[in-house]
């Protein structure tokens, strides 16, 4: 039994991971309803194509909410439906925000689409005249050009010449174009100049995070294996059964809630599932709740906390001393004052951990390397060695939490920290 | 690609034709009547598939939907004359009244009919220029009088047109140009040549002079010694050999792109009209009302300040009239009158921008279309319900979609921790202090979390969430070397935040 499952387990792992990396697969169930952003976008663009009128739309939403994925879905569908009457031009605000670059890129893509020769030596004027002429010709031939402007807010810097020329060209009857802007800034259209904003048609599609029911549906869609012959029969049913058990468990719902309280985009959910699936036990070939728990903790790491958790006892003493000095309103302390505090503690509490100066200096170096403490910046004063002021890079609560989850922190330290 | 003779001019000619009530176009009348017969039949579902217009696929006949939609009123008027006693006082207004009366007799407005929907959307599209520009007659008259007087007296002159975007400036300039040509032909004067330049398309501001020269046949372009500006100046300073010289009409759109630091180009351009033998009529179009005063003081001293014509933003009545003009050409009533009124009122209160009004109307049409299509899925073969026109609620939905900012929706759908961050930012920036460091914001955030026993996120996660909010334009983060010293400020109004989060009691208490 053991040897049989393993290849199937690997195959299912690959299948699920492949699904998670394919945006069109992921966004299909979210786009199924007629009220979804996919259908709204498709309706607007397809009516523009069939009626031959110009339009402009903005897709807004936080990063990772699927704007580019849904647009790719719509573009794919439209290229299938209207094979000869649509051409797609893509620009990215990070690459082509300069007008020269942008016009050149549009001209190059138009040349590629229509099998013309593109000359790199063409000037800005020639490129813009070419674009205007192409728009006119395509308008006469009833071919719609779809301009996709990614990172739309980057195009709204400077003189906005590209935006003005595109939107102005769409004001005339002779051209047939659709301009789709994608941006994560909600006020992207407020960044436009008033002339450009007047020509823009103010259609916005907002990409909000999906609801809980949609997320549940999405989970099932991504994680359930298809019942086809490439998998052994009993394995598929066992796998899907296990998934159903996990997703209906309240602890799993708690995990999801913690995840969504920090980041509720589709992208973060996909990352979470990817990590969980990668931790799948290949012996049994089934997922378990522990996988998801481990995935969550790997996603919500707190590096400083882990640094404190790995400190030695001496280093913890030194950190507590620094914290006490801070509490006593001594804003600038250096190694000498920390050592003094350390000695005071040792004297008053008779602790057994007392180390010599050079050992402590090495402990300080360790802490500095791990970036738990650092030297403060001070200009004009060049003090060296032990007189340089230091400061803590972690907050009191982080220190407290780290010490509480430390494997063998002495109780006296916690007491010292508290008052 | 087949040669289509003047695609932009043919629809206009036909509209002009219907205005003058020239009866004609038998071919289109035939198509109309057979279309109307089909439309009058009860099964509306057959219409979209079997009309001759739809089965045509070659681009030549593609233009016929426009012709059909536009020339229907001729037969409608004829029918009205046949049916009623027909006192057509003014064709426009009574056509609207009679159309609503004859709604049962005439072709019904069927939102499921793609042809009708397409025709209405085209009538409302920004790119479709109507034949007569209503509500701008006064301004147009002033401009054309100026141009005519210049052409009659063979004198140069300059004019500056200003107004907010979407007030019909470029549209009026097109009309003036055509009128000037027509008038010149009528008066027997030589037709003036027109140079229409959109200044955003110039790479260098001095290119405008070469564009003007390029149209001038008398100058030889390949003169390397002097710049285009000097050529123009020399041209205008000498008496022309030909006795009847042509006037040059220069229309410079978006003129503020010509403003450079030393304002040289703008000055030189207007100074061209002051040269002794200048024969150019310069019309500059821009948005700023005081451009002439601010940037052309020298001209005032030379006593040739340009004439200023202001295109005011449209008022509610004007917007309503323009919308009705556009829709009256269609034989069916697609909009309820109070829907149009509320659109006009809202847009005139906001900006007076005609493009926005047209956009809102088209958006309302689309909402109606989706609604009509939705009901198709439920009743595929049922009879057409009573006239589904665009009503108030469609228009209100379209208005809210256009004018509402997405901020409130986004804040409501943020994850909980990010909402707490937004809340703490709102509290932090309530007073006079307008920006704080991330560390201070973190302190406030921790306080709120502690007061409600929510486990706070660590500082790294907190900084990440602040970056996400910065990307979305809710917060503004500055750059700094140390992560904790970056300064944060709020980009969104506090009122918006309070409004968005008022449903949740926890935040309501927080923001108190």
């Amino acid at each position: 039994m053991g040897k049989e499952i393993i290849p199937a387990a690997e195959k299912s792992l690959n299948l699920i991971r492949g699904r998670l990396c394919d945006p069109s697969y992921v966004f299909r169930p979210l786009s199924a309803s007629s009220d979804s952003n996919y259908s709204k976008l498709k309706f607007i663009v397809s009516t523009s194509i069939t009626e031959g009128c110009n339009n402009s739309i903005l897709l807004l939403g936080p990063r990772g909410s699927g704007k580019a994925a849904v647009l790719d879905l719509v573009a794919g569908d439209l290229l299938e439906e209207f094979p000869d009457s649509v051409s797609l031009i893509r620009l990215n605000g990070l690459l082509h925000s300069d007008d020269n670059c942008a016009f050149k890129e549009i001209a190059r893509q138009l040349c590629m689409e229509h099998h013309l020769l593109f000359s790199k030596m063409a000037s800005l004027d020639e490129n813009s005249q070419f674009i205007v002429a192409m728009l006119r010709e395509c308008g006469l031939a009833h071919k719609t050009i779809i301009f996709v402007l990614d990172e739309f807010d980057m195009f709204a810097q400077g003189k906005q010449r590209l935006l003005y020329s595109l939107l102005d060209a769409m004001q005339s009857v002779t051209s047939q174009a659709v301009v789709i802007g994608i941006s994560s800034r909600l006020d992207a259209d407020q960044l436009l100049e008033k002339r450009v904003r007047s020509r823009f048609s103010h259609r916005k599609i907002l990409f909000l995070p999906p609801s809980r029911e949609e997320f549940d549906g999405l989970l099932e869609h991504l994680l359930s294996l298809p019942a086809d012959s490439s998998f052994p029969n009993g394995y598929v049913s066992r796998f899907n059964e296990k998934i159903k058990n996990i997703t209906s468990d309240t602890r799993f719902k708690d995990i999801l809630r913690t995840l969504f309280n920090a980041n509720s985009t589709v992208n973060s959910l996909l990352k979470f599932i990817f990590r969980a699936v990668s931790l799948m036990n290949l012996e049994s070939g089934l997922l378990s709740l522990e996988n998801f728990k481990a995935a969550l903790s790997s996603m919500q790491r707190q590096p400083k906390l882990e640094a404190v958790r790995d400190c030695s006892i001496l280093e913890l003493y030194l950190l507590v001393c620094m914290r006490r000095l801070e509490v006593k309103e001594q804003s600038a302390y250096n190694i000498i004052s920390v050592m003094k505090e350390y000695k005071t503690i040792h004297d008053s509490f008779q602790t057994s951990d007392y180390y010599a100066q050079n050992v402590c200096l090495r402990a300080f170096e360790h802490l500095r390397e791990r970036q738990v403490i650092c030297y403060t910046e001070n200009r004009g004063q060049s003090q060296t060695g032990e007189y340089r002021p230091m400061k803590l890079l972690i907050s009191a609560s982080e220190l407290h939490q780290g010490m509480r989850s430390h494997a063998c922190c002495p109780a006296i330290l916690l007491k010292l920290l508290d008052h | 690609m087949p040669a289509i003779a003047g695609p932009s001019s043919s629809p206009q000619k036909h509209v002009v034709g219907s205005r003058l009530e020239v009866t004609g176009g038998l071919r289109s009348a035939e198509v109309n009547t057979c279309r109307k017969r089909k439309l009058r039949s009860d099964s509306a579902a057959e219409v979209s598939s079997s009309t001759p217009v739809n089965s045509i696929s070659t681009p030549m006949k593609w233009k016929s939907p426009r012709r059909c939609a536009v020339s229907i009123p001729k037969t409608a008027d004829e029918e009205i004359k046949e049916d009623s006693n027909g006192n057509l006082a003014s064709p426009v207004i009574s056509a609207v009244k009679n159309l609503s009366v004859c709604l049962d007799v005439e072709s019904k407005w069927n939102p499921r009919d793609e042809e009708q929907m397409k025709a209405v959307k085209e009538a409302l599209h920004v790119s479709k220029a109507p034949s007569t520009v209503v509500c701008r007659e006064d301004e147009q008259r002033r401009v054309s009088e100026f141009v005519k007087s210049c052409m009659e007296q063979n004198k140069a002159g300059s004019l500056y047109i200003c107004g907010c975007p979407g007030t019909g400036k470029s549209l009026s300039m097109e009309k003036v140009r055509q009128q000037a040509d027509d008038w010149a032909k009528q008066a027997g004067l030589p037709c003036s040549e027109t140079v229409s330049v959109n200044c955003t398309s110039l790479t260098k501001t001095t290119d405008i002079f070469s564009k003007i020269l390029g149209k001038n046949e008398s100058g030889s372009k390949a003169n390397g010694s002097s710049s285009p500006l000097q050529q123009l100046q020399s041209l205008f300073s000498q008496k022309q050999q030909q006795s009847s010289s042509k006037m040059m009409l220069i229309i410079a759109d978006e003129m503020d792109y010509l403003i450079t630091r030393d304002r040289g180009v703008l000055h030189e351009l207007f100074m061209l009209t002051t040269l002794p033998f200048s024969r150019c009529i310069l019309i500059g179009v821009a948005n700023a009302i005081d451009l002439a005063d601010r940037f052309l003081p020298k001209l005032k001293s030379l006593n040739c300040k340009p004439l200023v014509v202001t295109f005011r933003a449209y008022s509610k009545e004007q917007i309503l009239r323009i919308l009705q003009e556009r829709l009256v050409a269609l034989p069916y009533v697609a909009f309820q009158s109070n829907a149009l009124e509320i659109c006009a009122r809202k847009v005139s209160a906001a900006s007076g921008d005609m493009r926005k009004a047209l956009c809102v109307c088209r958006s309302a049409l689309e909402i109606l279309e989706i609604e009509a299509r939705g009901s198709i899925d439920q009743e595929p073969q049922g009879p057409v319900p009573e006239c589904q026109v665009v009503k108030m609620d469609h228009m209100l939905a379209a208005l809210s979609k256009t004018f509402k900012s997405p901020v409130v929706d986004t804040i409501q759908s943020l994850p909980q921790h990010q909402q707490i961050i937004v809340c703490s930012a709102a509290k932090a920036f309530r007073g006079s202090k307008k920006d704080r460091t991330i560390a201070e914001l973190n302190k406030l955030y921790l306080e709120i979390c502690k007061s409600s026993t929510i486990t706070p996120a660590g500082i790294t996660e907190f900084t990440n969430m602040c970056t996400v909010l910065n990307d979305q334009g809710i917060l503004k983060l500055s750059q700094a070397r140390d992560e904790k010293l970056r300064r944060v400020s709020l980009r969104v109004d506090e009122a918006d935040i309070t409004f968005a989060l008022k449903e949740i009691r926890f935040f309501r208490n927080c923001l108190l």
Side-chain angles (χ1 to χ4, degrees), chain A residues 386-402:
Chain A
E386 297 144 6
Y387 293 95
R388 277 178 79 172
M390 321 180 81
K391 68 173 181 191
L392 274 174
L393 283 178
I394 55 174
S395 66
S397 57
E398 281 174 333
L399 181 59
H400 212 133
Q401 216 178 337

Side-chain angles (χ1 to χ4, degrees), chain A residues 63 164 195 198 201 203, chain B residues 127 254 256 355 359 366 471:
Chain A
R63 291 193 194 277
Y164 181 86
R195 280 182 277 236
S198 163
S201 84
R203 282 166 211 264
Chain B
S127 56
E254 313 293 354
D256 41 348
R355 291 191 183 112
C359 192
E366 280 172 8
D471 268 345

Side-chain angles (χ1 to χ4, degrees), chain A residues 151-383:
Chain A
E151 311 291 342
F152 188 75
D153 41 307
M154 307 291 274
F155 284 109
Q157 294 169 350
K159 275 196 161 174
Q160 305 183 4
R161 246 175 84 170
L162 172 71
L163 289 177
Y164 181 86
S165 348
L166 279 182
L167 292 173
D168 199 38
M170 285 176 20
Q171 301 282 303
S172 71
V173 191
T174 52
S175 62
Q176 240 172 269
V178 180
V179 170
I180 305 179
I182 306 180
S183 176
S184 61
R185 273 191 72 157
L186 300 171
D187 55 348
D189 61 333
Q190 304 299 321
L191 296 171
L192 298 174
E193 237 196 338
K194 58 180 183 319
R195 280 182 277 236
V196 182
R197 203 183 326 150
S198 163
R199 287 169 167 80
F200 179 73
S201 84
H202 289 98
R203 282 166 211 264
K204 292 182 248 198
I205 300 186
L206 196 54
F207 278 74
L208 296 172
S211 62
R212 293 312 289 271
E213 299 81 31
E214 285 177 331
F215 266 129
D216 292 335
L218 183 65
L219 271 176
E220 203 190 297
H221 174 74
L222 289 171
L223 289 174
S224 30
L225 291 179
D228 61 9
S229 57
S230 55
F231 289 105
N233 220 343
Y235 173 66
V236 170
S237 48
R238 260 181 298 135
F239 190 90
N240 293 343
E241 191 64 37
K242 195 77 203 292
I243 297 289
K244 261 206 244 311
N245 287 342
I246 295 177
T247 47
S248 44
D249 197 344
T250 43
R251 289 173 292 170
F252 181 74
K253 293 202 207 293
D254 282 339
I255 294 178
L256 272 189
R257 199 174 328 130
T258 326
L259 179 69
F260 291 150
N261 274 347
N263 192 342
S264 55
T265 56
V266 178
N267 210 7
S268 79
L269 180 71
L270 290 179
K271 283 193 193 148
F272 168 68
I273 300 178
F274 195 94
R275 281 175 208 234
V277 164
S278 306
L279 294 168
M280 183 165 86
N281 184 356
L282 287 175
E283 300 278 312
S284 65
L286 302 171
L287 286 171
S288 68
L289 194 62
E290 280 62 39
N291 296 139
F292 289 98
K293 273 198 201 141
L296 181 68
S297 54
S298 83
M299 275 187 78
Q300 295 190 338
R301 289 182 51 214
Q302 299 201 30
K304 301 285 187 201
L305 207 59
E306 288 166 15
V308 172
R309 229 181 281 154
D310 289 338
C311 283
S312 65
I313 310 285
L314 173 60
E315 287 158 6
L316 283 180
Y317 264 102
L318 296 174
L319 287 174
V320 169
C321 293
M322 284 201 258
R323 176 71 199 144
R324 285 170 67 93
L325 285 176
E326 262 185 15
V327 167
K328 286 186 201 164
E329 309 276 325
Q330 267 193 35
S331 54
Y333 43 83
N334 52 22
I335 298 186
I336 308 292
S337 37
V338 176
M339 295 301 297
K340 242 189 260 174
E341 177 76 15
Y342 185 40
K343 187 151 191 334
T344 339
I345 293 180
H346 172 70
D347 290 337
S348 43
F349 291 99
Q350 298 298 322
T351 55
S352 56
D353 303 298
Y354 190 67
Y355 297 93
Q357 172 102 344
N358 50 351
V359 183
C360 293
L361 284 178
R362 260 181 284 158
F364 273 114
E365 274 311 306
H366 284 170
L367 285 175
R368 260 193 61 230
E369 273 167 17
R370 236 176 286 136
Q371 297 250 328
V372 182
I373 63 177
C374 70
Y375 288 129
T376 51
E377 308 271 338
N378 52 354
R379 306 146 185 241
Q381 292 169 329
S382 53
Q383 287 149 336

Side-chain angles (χ1 to χ4, degrees), chain B residues 131-204:
Chain B
S131 65
T132 51
V133 181
V134 282
C135 305
R136 288 293 174 217
E137 294 96 350
D138 203 22
E139 288 90 349
Q140 261 186 282
R141 196 176 33 87
R142 281 178 71 187
V143 178
S144 48
E145 272 174 16
F146 170 79
V147 173
K148 278 181 202 166
S149 69
C150 279
M151 281 169 72
E152 269 172 356
Q153 301 165 18
N154 232 357
K155 200 169 61 114
S158 57
L159 176 73
Y160 172 61
I161 293 183
C162 57
C164 293
T167 43
K169 301 184 294 291
S170 304
L171 198 62
S172 307
M173 287 309 103
E174 274 304 306
K175 296 292 172 247
V176 161
R177 201 166 85 149
Q178 285 171 7
Q179 278 178 9
D181 278 346
D182 295 337
W183 181 82
K185 276 198 201 104
Q186 275 181 2
L189 289 171
C191 207
S192 61
E193 26 167 316
T194 335
V195 181
S196 185
V197 181
N198 192 322
C199 301
T200 49
S201 60
L202 304 170
T203 23
K204 278 189 324 199

Side-chain angles (χ1 to χ4, degrees), chain B residues 2 57 72 92 217 224 226 232 277 291 335 376 387 413 465 488:
Chain B
S57 58
I72 283 177
V92 169
E217 311 108 339
S226 57
L232 275 173
F277 293 103
L291 195 89
F335 284 80
I376 282 186
C387 281
S413 61
M465 289 197 273
V488 185

Side-chain angles (χ1 to χ4, degrees), chain B residues 313-368:
Chain B
Y314 286 116
S315 69
K316 168 182 163 250
E317 293 79 20
Q318 288 176 326
I319 297 186
L320 192 55
R321 221 181 115 202
I322 297 178
L323 286 174
Q324 282 169 345
E325 272 294 308
R326 283 198 178 220
L327 291 172
V328 82
L330 303 165
Y332 30 77
V333 175
F335 284 80
Q336 257 188 9
S337 50
N338 51 359
L340 286 178
E341 223 183 280
I342 195 169
C343 168
R345 194 180 313 160
K346 183 78 200 240
V347 173
S348 65
S351 56
D353 186 344
M354 196 60 220
R355 291 191 183 112
K356 213 163 195 169
L358 291 171
C359 192
V360 169
C361 291
R362 287 182 67 213
S363 188
L365 259 183
E366 280 172 8
I367 296 178
L368 177 71

Side-chain angles (χ1 to χ4, degrees), chain A residues 63 90-98 101-102 148-157 162 182 184, chain B residues 471:
Chain A
R63 291 193 194 277
R90 286 181 191 265
L91 291 172
N92 193 313
L94 291 169
L95 299 171
H96 309 126
S97 61
D98 180 34
C101 268
V148 175
L149 302 175
D150 227 334
E151 311 291 342
F152 188 75
D153 41 307
M154 307 291 274
F155 284 109
Q157 294 169 350
L162 172 71
I182 306 180
S184 61
Chain B
D471 268 345

